[in-house]
Amino acid sequence: MRAAYCSVSATSSIQCAGGGHRPLGEFGGHRWAVFYDPSQFFLVNREFGCDAMYDQSQRDVNCDRNNVMDLSDYLKAFRERWLLILVCTIVGGGLAGILTERIPPTYTGESTLFLKVESTAGSLYERSQFGLQRVKSYPSVVQSPDVLVPVIAELKLDITLADLQSRVSATNPTNTFFLKVQVEDSSPERAAAIANAVSKNLASAVAILETSKGESTSAVSLVQTVPASPPSGKTSPSLMLNGVLGLLIGLALGLAAAVSRKRFGRRVRTAEDVRTATDLPLLGSLGRGPIRKTFWRYRKAPVDSEGTANKELRNNLQLVAGGRLPNMLVLATGSAGYNDADLRHELAASLAHTGRLVCLVEADFPTGSGQDGDEGPDIRGVADVLSGNCDMAEALVASADGLYQVLPAGSRTSAPSEFLAQKRFPAVAKKLRDDFDVVLAQASRTSQPINLAMMASSADGVVLVVEHAKTRKRDLARLLAEVKACGLRPLGVVMTSVPTARRVPVSGGWRSGDFRDADLQLELQRVHEYR
């Protein structure tokens, strides 16, 4: 791909080498210079001095420096992703419970010793103070090899001294003569046996340490007051504690995931996503309808559940277009592969219900119907009209419900060259505009036999079509660049395949600049009449 090197001066003059240019336009809330080359779209942001080349092999550059979330954005993200948060919380608690059950249980055997002062020297208070000071040192003695090695030999334990030291501990409750010996083990009986053996050897070791040289008795002694018995329940792991921690961790991950998808999500899901990518209003939010055949001959009238959404889309189109519907409206898609027949046929039916004469132009050959995507050898359409094989009156057919007229794409074999089609389409479009109140077409940059560039001189406005949770933001931004480079005026965005739970009033995020002045609409009408 050949790059176009461009610069924008302070007086808005554009110098561009290697490609044509178009005037400055509004894109993403900022002023951009759009340079069009048949193989690329090159955008220069005059405010921030950054650029973005929209190409399949390159990533888009985010020049919006004000994309910061506030408290309301966080709350909205949590509300939109409540199901994700709930699932993460439940999964976190469930995994914590499963892991807790798989961890080997630990039991704690506890023995209680009492310090007895044998010496009679001094007052009772002095002996008490002496005992309180001495008992504080005994928890460290429990780790002594003189205490633990005999325990290993006595109970014939198959463990090392270091391993036993890690399982044994002793504590002295504050301002008491008690000493509590605790032993952790996977067996409750063995934990109690080790605790009793450690207590007995600890008492012997303290007696030796507290016996002064030349005396036969020690000043203090340890007496076991509460022998250890096998514990009835495990000490760890705690199912309740781990479950609560798992729920909290799952909740935290769910909240983080919701914020991340809101902040860094690349798919278009909400009106805010549409506004961020294009700075255009969301005109319609259409749900997932039942599976129906996409070819016009088999189409029935719109289902009732879609009537309200299409009516809202029709009214919003009229609002943004200055109080009157465009004479020729184009539905722009990102590629010819995405062909939402439900949208265009139901919108055509909705427009026809108002009493207007509506013609739906099939600008792209259908896929999967007939041989090589043809509508059939007996079906004439816009390709035949552009080739001069038939008149428009011969190609027009009524829809299945008779509400509007359809100009099929025709046969692929009858399609003229792109140059010839671009040359003849303005005359065909003028004829359609004269005969019908609203002409509706859905096209892309690569659709055949008619593409977006051919419609630029005839269309009054274009609506960008995106699919909920499937269209990426950068693809939507690239589609807007393509539409503007073709000279088309974008009116807004319509989102399809929206889940019922996500369908909200689209006008809540509109701005005053989204409404077009009626005088401007009349001026556009005069321009088209001049053409």
Side-chain angles (χ1 to χ4, degrees), residues 96 111 150 226 250 295 338 373 380 413 421 442 509:
S111 173
V226 183
F295 189 48
Y338 176 62
R380 296 183 176 184
T413 57
Q442 180 172 324

Side-chain angles (χ1 to χ4, degrees), residues 5-25:
Y5 300 95
C6 310
S7 61
V8 183
S9 66
T11 59
S12 300
S13 61
I14 303 173
Q15 303 294 330
C16 182
H21 69 277
R22 289 188 179 274
L24 289 172

Side-chain angles (χ1 to χ4, degrees), residues 183-444:
V183 178
E184 295 181 351
D185 196 85
S186 58
S187 171
E189 292 79 10
R190 188 165 56 241
I194 295 176
N196 290 328
V198 170
S199 298
K200 184 182 67 173
N201 286 278
L202 178 59
S204 301
V206 169
I208 295 174
L209 290 174
E210 297 294 351
T211 302
S212 302
K213 187 175 181 181
E215 296 182 1
S216 58
T217 59
S218 63
V220 297
S221 62
L222 289 175
V223 180
Q224 187 179 29
T225 56
V226 183
S229 59
S232 58
K234 61 183 180 181
T235 305
S236 64
S238 173
L239 180 60
M240 180 176 293
L241 177 60
N242 291 347
V244 172
L245 290 177
L247 290 174
L248 293 177
I249 293 175
L251 176 61
L253 292 177
L255 295 176
V259 173
S260 298
R261 295 191 67 176
K262 178 70 175 180
R263 177 67 175 82
F264 304 106
R266 299 183 179 182
R267 305 285 178 176
V268 178
R269 292 182 172 87
T270 64
E272 289 79 4
D273 295 336
V274 171
R275 180 70 70 177
T276 300
T278 64
D279 200 33
L280 293 175
L282 181 64
L283 302 179
S285 177
L286 306 181
R288 298 189 180 103
I291 299 177
R292 289 162 288 177
K293 294 186 178 294
T294 57
F295 189 48
W296 62 270
R297 290 178 296 178
Y298 302 104
R299 176 161 301 281
K300 297 182 180 180
V303 295
D304 293 338
S305 62
E306 291 296 311
T308 303
N310 282 282
K311 183 178 180 180
E312 182 184 30
L313 173 59
R314 183 188 68 213
N315 294 336
N316 291 339
L317 280 172
Q318 190 168 349
L319 286 175
V320 298
R324 56 182 299 178
L325 288 172
N327 190 195
M328 176 170 280
L329 178 64
V330 180
L331 302 177
T333 59
S335 63
Y338 176 62
N339 195 349
D340 195 334
D342 285 341
L343 172 61
R344 61 178 183 269
H345 281 276
E346 291 175 359
L347 180 57
S350 177
L351 294 172
H353 275 299
T354 63
R356 294 177 172 86
L357 295 178
V358 179
C359 177
L360 174 61
V361 179
E362 297 286 1
D364 194 17
F365 292 116
T367 58
S369 60
Q371 184 177 5
D372 297 329
D374 289 345
E375 292 176 324
D378 299 331
I379 301 299
R380 296 183 176 184
V382 64
D384 301 272
V385 175
L386 294 174
S387 300
N389 297 334
C390 69
D391 295 332
M392 186 180 302
E394 300 175 354
L396 286 172
V397 295
S399 61
D401 47 24
L403 291 175
Y404 54 94
Q405 296 291 309
V406 179
L407 181 60
S411 175
R412 192 183 297 269
T413 57
S414 302
S417 64
E418 183 176 352
F419 174 76
L420 186 59
Q422 188 168 8
K423 183 178 180 181
R424 293 181 176 178
F425 180 75
V428 175
K430 185 178 186 303
K431 175 64 175 174
L432 290 172
R433 293 169 61 91
D434 293 339
D435 295 345
F436 295 93
D437 298 322
V438 178
V439 180
L440 182 64
Q442 180 172 324
S444 68

